[in-house]
């Protein structure tokens, strides 16, 4: 029931600015997708829905033929993109700190192949694991960390746990407002304006009146073992959460801290919202600081 009250807060007039920000981001993402469709798309990494569009950002002065540097894989939130806040800013600031990054669009999102309706957390984890294998194959990469925002935080946490079970733990993990509330939303039958029977959802529902969320996403998200999977990861974790986040409640980050224990920390950014538009520099700096300290 947490998600219901959070969503009600999200759509009321008090939070109209946040709603408009979401819509602007969606439109910007559409522009990126249109640009990609007009261009020649050549993919190096493939997931369950096909080619995954990505951008690799290297630190200035790093020659990938001879130099070594660490890398962070950046994972965006639901309906978002690697080209939407906060991902481009994270890539730029990581590069200034001597850290490379890969930001990409999950399958079915904007520049990548596939359809939004066929998105599932399982498919996104598969995308993330494919990006991990690609990053491992790069000869200049000396270590790999993961970062996820919103739903991307759920994917990053579960991916880290799966990799840990394989004996391939990431060097560090940053979760920005990890959106584990998606499970409550799917179980309660209310998700970003779409209402449905959680026991028997239709083929798809429309979030924000336009973004298709598929039946498989709804049913499989209800059954996820988010925290159990995440717990397998034993490396350092930093959680970052805005005090004005009205989409993902603080209790999600607090639950992750309980899951990870002493190896994790939660930093609350006063005045920041879920879209990372009010205190972006502070939020980005906290994420970059974690990885810089990790590898220095």
């Amino acid at each position: 029931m947490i998600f219901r009250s959070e969503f009600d807060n999200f759509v009321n007039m008090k939070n109209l600015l946040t709603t408009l920000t979401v819509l602007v981001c969606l439109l910007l993402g559409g522009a990126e997708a249109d640009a990609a469709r007009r261009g020649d798309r050549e993919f190096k990494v493939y997931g369950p829905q096909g080619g995954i569009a990505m951008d690799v950002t290297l630190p200035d002065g790093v020659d990938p033929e001879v130099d070594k540097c660490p890398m962070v894989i950046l994972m965006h939130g639901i309906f978002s993109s690697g080209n939407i806040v906060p991902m481009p800013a994270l890539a730029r600031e990581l590069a200034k700190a001597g850290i490379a990054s890969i930001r990409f669009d999950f399958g079915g999102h904007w520049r990548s192949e596939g359809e939004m309706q066929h998105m599932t957390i399982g498919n996104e984890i598969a995308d993330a694991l494919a990006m991990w294998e690609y990053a491992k194959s790069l000869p200049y990469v000396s270590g790999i960390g993961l970062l996820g925002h919103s739903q991307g935080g759920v994917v990053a946490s579960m991916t880290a746990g799966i990799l840990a079970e394989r004996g391939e733990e990431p060097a560090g993990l940053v979760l920005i407002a990890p959106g584990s509330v998606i499970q409550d939303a799917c179980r309660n039958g209310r998700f970003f304006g779409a209402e449905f029977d959680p026991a028997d959802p239709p083929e798809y529902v429309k979030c924000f009146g336009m973004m298709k969320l598929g039946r498989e996403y709804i049913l499989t998200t209800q059954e996820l073992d988010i925290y159990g999977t995440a717990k397998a990861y034993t490396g350092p974790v930093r959680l970052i959460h805005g005090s004005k986040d009205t989409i993902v409640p603080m209790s999600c980050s607090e639950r992750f801290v309980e899951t990870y224990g002493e190896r994790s920390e939660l930093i609350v950014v006063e005045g920041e919202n879920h879209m990372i538009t009010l205190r972006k520099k502070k939020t980005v700096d906290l994420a970059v600081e974690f990885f810089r300290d990790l590898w220095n």
Side-chain angles (χ1 to χ4, degrees):
M1 297 304 291
I2 293 174
F3 187 85
R4 178 178 293 273
S5 62
E6 286 295 319
F7 187 83
D8 289 343
N9 286 337
F10 174 64
V11 298
N12 69 21
M13 290 299 293
K14 180 180 179 182
N15 292 292
L16 179 59
L17 179 59
T18 303
T19 307
L20 292 174
T21 300
V22 171
L23 296 177
V24 168
C25 287
L26 292 173
L27 292 172
L28 287 174
E32 291 289 348
D34 290 341
R37 294 188 186 101
R38 289 194 297 270
D40 181 18
R41 296 195 295 177
E42 295 182 359
F43 300 107
K44 296 181 179 179
V45 180
Y46 290 82
Q49 291 210 60
I52 302 173
M54 64 178 179
D55 299 283
V56 176
T57 303
L58 295 177
D60 289 341
V62 169
D63 182 347
E65 298 295 327
V66 297
D67 296 327
K68 295 277 190 179
C69 66
M71 172 173 275
V72 178
I73 300 173
L74 306 175
M75 305 183 202
H76 65 75
I78 191 169
F79 307 137
S80 191
S81 164
N83 279 340
I84 290 177
V85 175
M87 298 306 164
L90 283 163
R92 288 192 301 271
E93 295 306 315
L94 283 166
K96 291 178 183 178
I99 302 168
S101 65
I102 298 179
R103 52 193 169 93
F104 67 99
D105 291 354
F106 283 111
H109 286 73
W110 309 118
R111 302 171 298 162
S112 291
E113 293 185 323
E115 298 179 15
M116 190 78 70
Q117 183 178 336
H118 300 311
M119 168 190 66
T120 65
I121 298 300
N123 283 346
E124 293 203 345
I125 290 173
D127 289 345
L129 290 172
M131 297 305 303
W132 172 268
E133 292 301 320
Y134 176 73
K136 281 202 318 179
S137 75
L138 298 172
Y140 59 87
V141 173
S142 59
I144 307 172
L146 304 182
L147 179 150
H149 171 234
S150 195
Q151 178 168 288
V154 173
V155 175
S157 71
M158 296 181 73
T159 299
I162 290 168
L163 288 169
E165 292 284 1
R166 296 181 182 179
E168 298 185 76
E169 282 202 325
L173 176 64
V174 170
L175 306 178
I176 303 176
S180 50
V181 71
I182 57 174
Q183 188 163 65
D184 294 332
C186 289
R187 289 174 174 174
N188 293 338
R190 184 179 173 89
F191 203 120
F192 284 129
E195 297 192 25
F196 48 87
D197 177 357
D200 186 22
E203 180 183 357
Y204 66 85
V205 297
K206 286 189 176 182
C207 300
F208 299 112
M210 55 182 172
M211 311 300 288
K212 291 183 178 180
L213 196 70
R215 173 184 172 88
E216 186 178 3
Y217 175 94
I218 295 169
L219 293 176
T220 57
T221 300
Q222 292 177 22
E223 303 303 319
L224 290 175
D225 183 11
I226 296 174
Y227 302 105
T229 303
K231 189 174 184 178
Y233 175 68
T234 62
V237 184
R238 172 169 288 183
L239 290 118
I240 305 170
H241 210 119
S243 66
K244 290 189 175 181
D245 191 332
T246 59
I247 298 176
V248 173
M250 191 71 67
S251 58
C252 291
S253 285
E254 292 168 346
R255 177 75 183 275
F256 274 107
V257 170
E258 292 174 6
T259 298
Y260 292 122
E262 293 182 356
R263 63 186 183 276
S264 66
E265 62 176 338
L266 169 59
I267 300 177
V268 177
V269 180
E270 292 299 327
E272 181 60 286
N273 60 16
H274 187 70
M275 302 306 296
I276 319 300
T277 58
L278 299 178
R279 298 291 305 280
K280 182 177 73 173
K281 185 178 186 306
K282 177 66 174 177
T283 301
V284 169
D285 286 350
L286 285 168
V288 174
E289 173 190 75
F290 172 85
F291 288 113
R292 185 182 62 241
D293 292 347
L294 180 69
W295 281 307
N296 283 344

